[in-house]
Every structure is written in structure tokens, then in C-alpha cells.
Amino acid sequence: CGKNWHRPSRKQLFGNVQSTSINENETASSQSPEPEAKVTRSGGAMDIPSMDDGFASDSLLGDTLPEFVLTNLLGKDRMAYTAPSPIQRHCVPLALAGHDVLASAQTGSGKTVGFLLPLIASVAKDRR
């Protein structure tokens, strides 16, 4: 008939799971506290820290992202980012380190920038 199929366990699929709660709108200037979003990380890259010092030039990003990207990201006359969103804080370091990332977050949470920063860094590195 066919091969027997078995459903892998959550641990077989994702390994050990670490959860933390973060405020989804930490960077927003709202006066009322927002509900916290739960961030779950799993897999073999648990030793890679999140981007807690933001887009600081002396952080992981300062060494990895090209100067033109930081200028466009942080410049007051450009995108004027002051801090990464929660999805960016957790995903960018993993992707910059060469790990695959599967992430889900609300519309407007910064997923596109979180995806593009490591991509642009990789392309710029290959062009040097």
C-alpha cells in the first residue's frame, strides 16, 4: 500500500524550546502598557543572544552591517530607527549568524526589515 507515516514530536521538530515575554510595543511612545508578546526560540542556535543593545554601532550589527545600511537605518533624515522591534531583536542576529529563521508576527511588526537586514549584509559582503 504505502509507507507508514508517523507524526514527529514537537521536540523532534524543534529541539529544546526557550520562551521569554517581551513588550510588543517597547519602542512605541504610548502611555499605556501594551500586552506582552511571547517569543519562542528553539533549535540549535540558543547560544546566539538577541539584539538587546539595539542598533548601536558597537553591537553585533555594527560589525556585521555595512556602513551604508546603518546610515540609512539610523539617520534622522532617513528611516530614523531608534530601536529594533521584538521580531527584529530576535531574528536578525540568528540570520546574520547564518541560521535559518521561521518567524511569525503581526502586520506592521517589522518582519520585512528583520528579513532584509541580514540579506543586504550578505549581498554586500559577497560584493567586496
Side-chain angles (χ1 to χ4, degrees):
C1 285
K3 291 184 177 183
N4 288 337
W5 183 83
H6 87 282
R7 183 180 194 142
S9 70
R10 183 171 178 82
K11 186 170 183 171
Q12 288 172 314
L13 285 173
F14 302 110
N16 294 329
V17 175
Q18 173 185 356
S19 294
T20 183
S21 291
I22 55 177
N23 187 331
E24 185 67 34
N25 290 324
E26 281 179 345
T27 59
S29 59
S30 63
Q31 295 178 354
S32 63
E34 296 292 326
E36 291 190 355
K38 184 175 183 181
V39 174
T40 303
R41 290 178 59 176
S42 63
M46 300 303 285
D47 59 325
I48 297 176
S50 62
M51 213 168 44
D52 292 330
D53 29 344
F55 295 120
S57 60
D58 60 343
S59 70
L60 165 75
L61 290 182
D63 295 335
T64 312
L65 291 177
E67 185 62 34
F68 75 90
V69 173
L70 289 172
T71 300
N72 282 300
L73 190 67
L74 304 174
K76 298 289 182 206
D77 60 336
R78 306 293 172 93
M79 294 177 69
Y81 266 68
T82 56
S85 70
I87 192 80
Q88 294 162 355
R89 187 171 38 251
H90 288 274
C91 292
V92 170
L94 293 169
L96 285 172
H99 294 278
D100 294 333
V101 176
L102 176 63
S104 169
Q106 274 187 301
T107 299
S109 63
K111 293 182 299 291
T112 302
V113 171
F115 164 76
L116 288 176
L117 287 177
L119 177 73
I120 292 169
S122 176
V123 169
K125 179 181 172 185
D126 291 345
R127 292 192 71 184
R128 287 185 217 155

